[in-house]
């Protein structure tokens, strides 16, 4: 596929028209380049940016992933954006938020006709087992409640670097459908699903989305390892997530709750 055909900056006006009646819930800005959409939006959160602020960048020069990793993508290969959302209450109300965002992204991809979408705890988006994208949720406590900046990166094309350079085998939307979904339509669908999911989450928390998340969880009931800093932390049978979004593992010691780490399949 000629990747130059896919290279286009998001047009906020077109995006707004695709959002229809929900466009009033979002304030959209698209940049050719920035360090990181999430870093920029966190700065703006401290300057009173409104809930529903969306920042999209064709290219990030300092894109960030989970656990201090970097996130690489180009205008042609990726869709990278962050969404700011305000919540009332304290940080405990936001347990499981990154998993809830995963549910919204999975719904959006499926509504765009992409088959084979899965989720991997805590916030990888998978396509036929490869990493299609990731979610990075960052929180800031403010006097009137919590602000969440939800950064989402999706591969439209396979990243240029060789697969051996990635911690997880990458996947891209171009593998699933040719041509891949139009990036404006995909982004609009994600924002629409996010609004629905976040409204529900704000009222009832992750527990009401848990069943849908588990249905997408690719390593449910499978033997897994949990790594921390590359070292084996625990291993057991993956029982999915609890109502706070913590991973549940059945280990030799019983059922354990795990709050962070990298999940990998255990060799049979
Ligand atoms: C991960 O899988 O480690 C999470 C990756 C999140 C990447 C996105 S791209 C848009 C936003 N801006 C960033 O700097 N990171 C997130």
């Amino acid at each position: 596929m000629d990747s130059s055909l896919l290279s286009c900056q998001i047009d906020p006006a077109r995006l707004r028209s695709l959002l229809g009646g929900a466009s009033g819930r979002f304030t959209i800005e698209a940049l050719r380049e920035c360090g990181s959409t999430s870093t920029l939006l966190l700065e703006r959160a401290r300057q009173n940016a409104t809930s529903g602020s969306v920042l999209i960048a064709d290219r990030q020069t300092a894109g960030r992933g989970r656990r201090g990793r970097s996130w690489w993508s180009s205008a042609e290969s990726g869709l990278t954006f962050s969404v700011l959302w305000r919540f009332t209450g304290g940080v405990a109300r936001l347990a499981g938020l990154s998993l809830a965002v995963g549910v919204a992204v999975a719904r959006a991809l499926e509504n765009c006709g992409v088959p084979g979408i899965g989720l991997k705890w805590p916030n990888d988006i998978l396509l036929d087992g490869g990493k299609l994208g990731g979610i990075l949720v960052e929180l800031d406590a403010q006097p009137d409640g919590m602000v969440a900046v939800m950064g989402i990166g999706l591969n439209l094309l396979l990243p240029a670097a060789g697969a051996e350079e990635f911690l997880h085998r990458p996947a891209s939307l171009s593998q699933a459908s040719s041509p891949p979904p139009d990036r404006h339509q995909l982004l609009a669908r994600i924002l629409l699903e996010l609004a629905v999911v976040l409204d529900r989450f704000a009222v009832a928390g992750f527990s009401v989305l848990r069943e849908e998340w588990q249905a997408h969880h690719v390593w449910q009931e499978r033997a897994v390892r949990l790594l921390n800093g590359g070292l084996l932390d625990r291993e057991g049978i993956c029982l999915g997530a609890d109502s706070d979004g913590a991973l549940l593992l059945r280990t030799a010691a019983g059922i354990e709750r795990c709050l962070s780490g990298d999940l990998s399949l255990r060799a049979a």
Side-chain angles (χ1 to χ4, degrees):
M1 185 184 317
D2 179 356
S3 63
S4 67
L5 294 176
L6 294 168
S7 174
C8 67
Q9 193 176 13
I10 292 287
D11 172 5
R14 182 162 170 223
L15 191 54
R16 272 191 289 275
S17 83
L18 289 168
L19 288 170
S23 69
R25 301 199 62 185
F26 296 98
T27 307
I28 295 162
E29 188 180 350
L31 304 172
R32 282 209 181 283
E33 183 175 299
C34 71
S36 151
T37 53
S38 286
T39 305
L40 204 47
L41 217 41
L42 278 166
E43 282 166 22
R44 292 184 183 179
R46 288 173 202 127
Q47 295 152 11
N48 288 325
T50 55
S51 190
S53 296
V54 180
L55 200 52
I56 309 137
D58 270 5
R59 204 171 89 84
Q60 298 184 117
T61 53
R64 296 183 291 108
R66 282 181 65 232
R67 300 166 76 79
R69 297 183 189 118
S70 48
W71 180 265
W72 186 91
S73 66
S74 68
E76 297 78 26
S77 70
L79 183 59
T80 50
F81 63 100
S82 300
V83 180
L84 182 158
W85 212 260
R86 292 184 180 274
F87 295 88
T88 55
V91 66
R93 298 269 304 263
L94 302 188
L97 177 59
S98 67
L99 281 70
V101 175
V103 168
V105 175
R107 277 189 198 172
L109 286 161
E110 286 163 357
N111 284 335
C112 286
V114 181
I117 292 300
L119 296 171
K120 191 184 100 181
W121 186 88
N123 42 22
D124 283 353
I125 301 149
L126 303 188
L127 173 70
D128 296 332
K131 180 157 172 166
L132 177 68
I135 297 163
L136 177 69
V137 172
E138 295 169 293
L139 305 176
D140 190 39
Q142 299 199 339
D144 54 347
M146 297 295 300
V147 178
V149 170
M150 299 160 283
I152 298 171
L154 288 174
N155 299 327
L156 299 179
L157 298 175
L158 274 183
E164 66 282 1
E165 294 181 34
F166 295 93
L167 189 65
H168 307 287
R169 175 174 66 84
S172 76
L173 281 176
S174 58
Q175 290 168 245
S177 52
S178 185
D182 170 80
R183 68 175 71 202
H184 285 83
Q185 279 175 8
L186 176 58
L187 186 47
R189 185 40 61 191
I190 294 174
L191 295 178
L192 289 168
E193 296 296 350
L194 259 183
V196 171
V197 162
L198 294 178
D199 284 350
R200 202 134 182 255
F201 178 90
V203 173
F206 175 64
S207 58
V208 289
L209 299 158
R210 178 173 172 250
E211 207 176 300
E212 190 174 348
W213 186 87
Q214 307 255 96
H216 283 91
H217 191 221
V218 284
W219 291 354
Q220 197 70 16
E221 299 295 337
R222 298 182 74 179
V224 294
R225 288 197 169 97
L226 190 71
L227 306 175
N228 256 312
L231 300 174
L232 181 63
D233 183 358
R234 286 175 243 194
E235 53 188 346
I237 302 297
C238 182
L239 303 179
D242 71 8
S243 55
D244 287 333
L247 181 78
L248 295 176
L249 277 190
R250 192 192 303 123
T251 71
I255 295 181
E256 299 191 40
R257 271 183 99 237
C258 314
L259 294 173
S260 73
D262 286 314
L263 204 54
S264 70
L265 266 186
R266 193 168 72 193

